[in-house]
Amino acid sequence: MLNTLPGLNYLEKADRRIRHIANWAQFIVNPKPQLVCQTLDHDDVEIARQLLKHPDRWVDPLIEEKFAKDFAKWNGSRHAFSFLSGRAALSACIFALGLMPDDEVIVPGFTCVVVPNAFDFAKVKVVYCDIELETYGIDLAALEKKITPRTKAILIQHLFGLVCRDYEKIIEFARDRKLYVIEDCAHSTGAEFKGVKVGNFGDVAFYSSELSKIYNTIQGGVVITNNDSIAKNLSRFHEHALYPDNERIEKQLHNVIVNYYRFKHPLRNYLGPRYESAYRDKLYDSTSEEEVLGVKPKDYGCKMPAAIARIGLNQLNKLDHYSRKRRHNAKRWALWCEKNHYQKPLVVTGSVPVYLRYPVMVESEKKRDLAWAMKDPGVVPGRWFLSNIHPAKRSVPDCPNADKAVRQCINFPTLF
Ligand SMILES: *Cc1c(COP(=O)(O)O)cnc(C)c1O
């Protein structure tokens, strides 16, 4: 059977008892807060285990549509389409807007390599733009200087779950010049501006449920739009997208299980290494080495199969609960900043961030060597991003603030 792995049977049989013990033992073992997979719970593991027994349920357009519809409803959007990753969702956006080779798109110079890759794969020219250091979004003044007659679109990011500082002004700026706005909401699923979820202000937006994001299906992505003609194009792209093969789906379901024990289970310090070695050949990185080098993977651009959509539906039900927790825990980091005289990230007037992480600019020595953080505050901070085009070691011209964020911006976990 697919889901029987040697060496862990005794643990999986004793699962209920282990969780019971863990509920009180966590006060003794006190595992450190983790940066990823914090919305995966035992109910997700149960769904993954059931699905592993029933490969006949892995593809089912009704479930896939239900996930997209439920996401759209939750997000307050007219249309949604689901893909196997945020990056595939971005590729759908590029197609749906009709961006052509040699068109230019403006992208912040502080991003994830899969973002420029999606444009490179479509031969759309990426023009990098500097960011501001209050919310790490595109800086409008820098943006104005990057516009050329070939500019067709602007990609704005809401990083760390914050709403970017120049949001409203950039949308207005783009409208005046008839430029498209793509919103990268990979970090900020559920953040609000003026009572509306981010992503609904631009022409098209994408969200991610990769394991380091707001909600978690190991990999996953959604595109939304409120524009009916863009939706038609998205629908066409989605229709032609392939499903991942069964081997890939099986791996992803196993990753739900193993990553729960590695990162979320209260006894993860003990169970994590055991699951990690038992599932060694199931683990994979969200971004392959070839992708870091800018090579298009052969299974790029798949749509989300029902197996993953079922996990997604379960995660969607818990998303608001976890986001409330994130917002609550962010207050701890605000106090930490005040005590240690660091600048707190800006909460734009009218916005409600979701705080995927709590970003802080510290001295560059402190970003290089994080040992200090084990003492106070006693957690391992994240280091997004370690380069302008993370994790590719590429720099970009003319983005001094982004360079500074690369040297100094760290982030704290918000689920613990
Ligand atoms: C993670 C991420 C993406 C891509 O999402 P995937 O689901 O991993 O493809 C895009 N933009 C940013 C800023 C991200 O952090």
Side-chain angles (χ1 to χ4, degrees), residues 85-87 112 114-115 157 159 184 186-187 206 208 210 213 220:
S85 59
R87 63 203 76 172
C112 187
V114 301
V115 172
Q157 283 176 168
L159 287 187
D184 177 342
H187 286 198
F206 70 96
S208 168
E210 191 260 0
K213 307 295 161 73

Side-chain angles (χ1 to χ4, degrees), residues 120-138:
D120 289 345
F121 297 160
K123 300 194 164 55
V124 174
K125 188 178 173 217
V126 173
V127 175
Y128 290 104
C129 176
D130 206 6
I131 59 168
E132 30 80 17
L133 294 173
E134 289 168 285
T135 67
Y136 311 94
I138 276 192

Side-chain angles (χ1 to χ4, degrees), residues 18 26 48 71 135 153 156 197 280 289 302 375-376:
I18 288 173
Q26 62 181 307
F71 188 95
T135 67
I156 56 178
K197 294 210 167 70
R280 213 168 23 244
E289 279 168 39
C302 291
K375 270 181 248 138
D376 174 29

Side-chain angles (χ1 to χ4, degrees), residues 215-387:
Y215 72 116
N216 185 352
T217 59
I218 303 300
Q219 282 205 294
V222 174
V223 185
I224 68 96
T225 185
N226 294 305
N227 176 314
D228 295 345
S229 79
I230 293 173
K232 264 200 196 118
N233 295 343
L234 287 171
S235 170
R236 214 146 47 96
F237 188 94
H238 187 265
E239 215 173 283
H240 288 98
L242 300 173
Y243 288 108
D245 59 26
N246 274 2
E247 190 189 341
R248 170 64 199 273
I249 297 175
E250 190 224 315
K251 262 197 174 166
Q252 194 165 336
L253 291 171
H254 274 118
N255 273 265
V256 172
I257 301 170
V258 62
N259 285 325
Y260 164 73
Y261 287 100
R262 288 170 84 199
F263 300 115
K264 179 66 193 285
H265 193 288
L267 294 182
R268 55 184 172 263
N269 291 352
Y270 171 75
L271 295 175
R274 280 159 186 80
Y275 272 81
E276 211 171 304
S277 85
Y279 285 74
R280 213 168 23 244
D281 57 340
K282 304 288 180 194
L283 291 170
Y284 62 89
D285 289 328
S286 312
T287 304
S288 65
E289 279 168 39
E290 56 174 4
E291 259 181 300
V292 175
L293 297 172
V295 179
K296 187 172 176 173
K298 63 176 183 339
D299 60 350
Y300 187 84
C302 291
K303 57 183 156 193
M304 184 185 281
I308 307 309
R310 284 181 197 272
I311 309 277
L313 283 164
N314 199 49
Q315 286 283 308
L316 207 49
N317 284 333
K318 301 191 279 193
L319 208 162
D320 288 331
H321 160 77
Y322 278 117
S323 292
R324 273 193 296 277
K325 262 183 123 165
R326 290 185 195 277
R327 287 170 177 137
H328 175 77
N329 290 340
K331 292 179 195 154
R332 169 180 166 184
W333 300 120
L335 287 172
W336 185 87
C337 285
E338 282 168 19
K339 199 178 100 207
N340 294 283
H341 309 289
Y342 288 116
Q343 181 86 39
K344 287 179 282 190
L346 174 74
V347 178
V348 172
T349 308
S351 79
V352 185
V354 271
Y355 297 107
L356 174 64
R357 309 272 182 93
Y358 196 94
V360 184
M361 295 280 284
V362 297
E363 297 78 357
S364 45
E365 314 82 78
K366 286 193 160 177
K367 181 162 182 174
R368 249 178 280 135
D369 180 1
L370 297 171
W372 59 273
M374 312 314 159
K375 270 181 248 138
D376 174 29
V379 303
V380 186
R383 300 209 273 188
W384 281 341
F385 294 127
L386 274 167
S387 58

Side-chain angles (χ1 to χ4, degrees), residues 1-165:
M1 217 160 56
L2 277 173
N3 67 331
T4 309
L5 284 163
L8 282 177
N9 289 342
Y10 74 98
L11 280 177
E12 294 187 359
K13 278 200 191 113
D15 207 53
R16 190 190 294 268
R17 188 173 303 167
I18 288 173
R19 274 183 294 127
H20 179 71
I21 296 168
N23 276 341
W24 58 262
Q26 62 181 307
F27 296 107
I28 305 164
V29 293
N30 190 23
K32 293 253 186 279
Q34 297 282 311
L35 292 161
V36 300
C37 292
Q38 293 306 291
T39 66
L40 277 184
D41 296 295
H42 197 262
D43 54 353
D44 302 291
V45 169
E46 286 287 277
I47 294 169
R49 283 198 177 125
Q50 282 306 313
L51 283 162
L52 282 165
K53 289 184 204 159
H54 298 284
D56 54 308
R57 296 183 196 160
W58 291 1
V59 165
D60 181 345
L62 285 179
I63 298 290
E64 292 147 20
E65 266 164 45
K66 177 165 170 52
F67 172 65
K69 277 222 167 73
D70 284 10
F71 188 95
K73 186 165 176 232
W74 172 84
N75 204 52
S77 311
R78 278 170 75 88
H79 309 276
F81 301 88
S82 63
F83 291 90
L84 200 60
S85 59
R87 63 203 76 172
L90 173 56
S91 288
C93 299
I94 295 166
F95 172 85
L97 296 179
L99 300 184
M100 289 294 168
D102 299 324
D103 284 348
E104 291 179 3
V105 60
I106 297 181
V107 171
F110 187 61
T111 190
C112 187
V113 67
V114 301
V115 172
N117 274 1
F119 292 105
D120 289 345
F121 297 160
K123 300 194 164 55
V124 174
K125 188 178 173 217
V126 173
V127 175
Y128 290 104
C129 176
D130 206 6
I131 59 168
E132 30 80 17
L133 294 173
E134 289 168 285
T135 67
Y136 311 94
I138 276 192
D139 178 64
L140 179 61
L143 172 67
E144 287 176 7
K145 296 186 197 125
K146 299 286 176 178
I147 304 292
T148 76
R150 306 260 276 276
T151 309
K152 290 281 161 21
I154 301 166
L155 178 131
I156 56 178
Q157 283 176 168
H158 305 284
L159 287 187
F160 304 109
L162 304 165
V163 175
C164 70
R165 186 193 69 186

